[in-house]
Amino acid sequence: MRFIFIVMLALYVLIDVYVFRVLRGTGRSFWPYVYLFVSAVIIGNLIVRFFVINDEGGRVLSVSKSYAIGFFISFIVFKVFFLLFFSSETLIRFFIGGYKRLFGSDEVFTMPDRRAFVKNMLLGIAAVPFASMLYGMYRGKYNYKVLSYTLEFDDLPEAFDGYTITQVSDIHCGSFDNKEKIQYGIDLINEQQSDVLLFTGDMVNNKADELDGWMDVFAGLYAKDGKYSVLGNHDYGDYVEWETEEQKVANLEDLKGRQKSMGFDLLLNENRFLEKDGQRIALVGVENWGGGHFKKAGDLQKAKQGVSKDDFKIVMSHDPTHWEEKVLPDEDHFHITLSGHTHGMQFGIEIPGWIKWSPSKWRYKHWAGIYESNGEFLNVNRGFGYLAFPGRVGIWPEVTVIKLKKKLV
């Protein structure tokens, strides 16, 4: 790990040397040194936060550590675009010089000088992604969006025609730093006045005590038919080096108790029935089950015990890989599966009807929004909070509202 860090630091310094030389070539004697100062502060803060200061109770991802990561990633983005644009421009000038030497009147090979206009244009373009990242840290992470869907089913009980579900996922309260903004998000959820509220995992980053100071906020979430939850991979405390296994177990039990005290009915591989006018639909709550190396505590067979094949079923399962690998192949028909987990990588471009892209698609086949297969639906919520990078760019925090409709024959 230390060797990898040293290599990355060396690359960081080499890139700084290149950027410094290019900036000096623009004729602005002051700005190259400003750049070096900012770069040194950012990498220094990252080193101090992760290797010197054990702040905020030793949390793996404290608020200050998240911001150190955020500024580092933002500056790396600037460096990458800077290198991309200026190295491409250098390559173009190299070929122009070679062409003039071979086919023109030049007796010796010389590269054309950079034009001032081109220099300034490339600098401006490289700064746009950097500014976007900073905006994502300042405002984007609280740019809550309500996404509404209407799903129709032949076998939906008539009593539930028009029934509304609000889904929230990936709160990650250990990352929060602005109670007023979070309260705005909670109020927005309550304004939907849905019949039931379903939370699909990752209440915390790692530890139950991250909820200190936030429990009253999330206790304010309300739906007339109740609010239900399942666990996500971060809720188990697997990413913390506990001194004893007993501490880890106690942390999970503490989280379960806190969810109960906030009014959530936590489903641990079990189910509940929502009843209305003598009819019912089933909520099937599965513990985290993720493809690859993620925790596989979920047991769909156990969770569906007592639910009949004819019941209308809604599965709550944090990781969307569970849908394709376990839910769809099951002999039972699960009408809707609600997941989260991906965050849409908190970065991407979405223009409804035009484009939907995020690096998350390289890791997850189903990474955001509604998917359908053989009459079974999956919704992957983009998440309410944020993790590691303390911001969102293009992939905004989401509140999902799903209306159930009886399909007309």
Side-chain angles (χ1 to χ4, degrees):
M1 179 65 73
R2 181 173 296 180
F3 173 76
I4 294 175
F5 177 77
I6 292 174
V7 171
M8 291 179 62
L9 183 61
L11 288 173
Y12 189 91
V13 172
L14 286 174
I15 293 173
D16 275 348
V17 171
Y18 175 79
V19 176
F20 177 78
R21 288 172 60 89
V22 172
L23 289 177
R24 285 194 67 181
T26 64
R28 295 179 174 86
S29 58
F30 178 73
W31 287 109
Y33 296 98
V34 172
Y35 168 83
L36 285 184
F37 175 76
V38 172
S39 185
V41 169
I42 288 174
I43 190 64
N45 182 51
L46 188 73
I47 293 171
V48 168
R49 291 300 178 189
F50 278 86
F51 298 100
V52 179
I53 298 176
N54 185 19
D55 61 346
E56 299 188 39
R59 293 179 180 175
V60 177
L61 279 175
S62 63
V63 173
S64 60
K65 287 178 179 177
S66 293
Y67 273 101
I69 292 173
F71 285 117
F72 177 74
I73 292 176
S74 299
F75 213 55
I76 286 293
V77 167
F78 171 75
K79 292 172 187 283
V80 167
F81 278 90
F82 189 100
L83 283 173
L84 176 64
F85 293 136
F86 276 90
S87 60
S88 298
E89 186 264 354
T90 299
L91 188 61
I92 292 171
R93 290 190 297 118
F94 175 82
F95 281 116
I96 292 174
Y99 181 85
K100 288 182 176 181
R101 172 65 182 85
L102 293 173
F103 303 104
S105 59
D106 292 359
E107 296 182 0
V108 296
F109 172 80
T110 57
M111 288 177 60
D113 293 332
R114 285 193 178 99
R115 298 182 178 226
F117 170 75
V118 173
K119 297 174 186 176
N120 294 331
M121 181 184 69
L122 293 178
L123 278 172
I125 295 174
V128 170
F130 176 62
S132 298
M133 299 292 282
L134 295 182
Y135 172 83
M137 294 170 61
Y138 175 59
R139 294 287 296 273
K141 61 187 177 184
Y142 301 125
N143 187 22
Y144 301 106
K145 300 296 183 183
V146 177
L147 302 184
S148 299
Y149 306 97
T150 298
L151 302 181
E152 296 184 339
F153 303 91
D154 293 325
D155 55 348
L156 177 70
E158 292 183 2
F160 288 89
D161 186 29
Y163 196 80
T164 54
I165 300 165
T166 287
Q167 180 198 1
V168 182
S169 194
D170 297 87
I171 287 176
H172 288 288
C173 65
S175 300
F176 292 153
D177 60 357
N178 190 320
K179 201 164 189 176
E180 181 180 348
K181 296 292 187 181
I182 301 304
Q183 184 62 60
Y184 165 76
I186 298 301
D187 293 340
L188 185 64
I189 294 171
N190 287 336
E191 285 175 12
Q192 307 313 307
Q193 298 183 349
S194 290
D195 295 295
V196 68
L197 175 67
L198 305 181
F199 172 68
T200 48
D202 278 1
M203 180 71 73
V204 297
N205 292 342
N206 293 287
K207 294 184 175 182
D209 63 10
E210 294 170 19
L211 277 164
D212 290 347
W214 297 102
M215 291 182 63
D216 59 329
V217 177
F218 294 108
L221 286 169
Y222 173 80
K224 68 182 184 65
D225 289 346
K227 49 189 182 184
Y228 299 83
S229 63
V230 293
L231 296 175
N233 57 299
H234 280 269
D235 293 324
Y236 294 91
D238 287 343
Y239 310 123
V240 176
E241 293 184 5
W242 301 96
E243 293 181 3
T244 65
E245 183 64 23
E246 289 74 16
Q247 287 183 336
K248 181 180 178 181
V249 172
N251 176 73
L252 181 56
E253 292 304 312
D254 185 16
L255 178 61
K256 293 177 183 177
R258 287 172 183 257
Q259 290 210 26
K260 182 178 180 180
S261 67
M262 290 187 293
F264 287 94
D265 186 353
L266 178 62
L267 305 185
L268 303 169
N269 291 325
E270 52 191 329
N271 59 76
R272 302 286 187 270
F273 288 102
L274 301 175
E275 299 187 359
K276 187 176 182 182
D277 299 335
Q279 298 179 318
R280 70 182 191 178
I281 61 177
L283 293 181
V284 180
V286 183
E287 290 198 51
N288 191 82
W289 193 102
H293 65 280
F294 286 105
K295 191 177 191 71
K296 294 176 173 59
D299 188 337
L300 182 61
Q301 301 308 310
K302 179 181 178 182
K304 71 175 186 178
Q305 288 182 8
V307 177
S308 74
K309 290 183 178 294
D310 295 331
D311 282 320
F312 187 94
K313 307 173 191 69
I314 300 173
V315 177
M316 301 167 61
S317 182
H318 178 69
D319 194 311
T321 59
H322 187 238
W323 184 63
E324 185 173 32
E325 297 192 31
K326 294 294 182 180
V327 177
L328 288 179
D330 194 89
E331 61 181 0
D332 284 354
H333 183 86
F334 295 96
H335 299 74
I336 305 173
T337 297
L338 302 178
S339 299
H341 181 63
T342 72
H343 301 204
M345 208 167 279
Q346 296 169 212
F347 176 85
I349 303 172
E350 287 194 272
I351 303 175
W354 288 87
I355 186 172
K356 176 183 174 183
W357 178 87
S358 164
S360 188
K361 68 179 297 182
W362 299 330
R363 172 64 177 84
Y364 295 98
K365 182 178 179 180
H366 309 102
W367 60 273
I370 294 283
Y371 302 87
E372 186 271 337
S373 178
N374 296 320
E376 297 186 44
F377 291 88
L378 167 70
N379 182 63
V380 184
N381 183 287
R382 293 160 180 80
F384 181 86
Y386 47 90
L387 181 69
F389 175 67
R392 285 178 175 266
V393 181
I395 304 294
W396 311 120
E398 174 182 344
V399 177
T400 309
V401 177
I402 296 175
K403 178 182 285 188
L404 306 180
K405 292 293 294 181
K406 179 80 171 177
K407 184 178 292 186
L408 298 177
V409 180

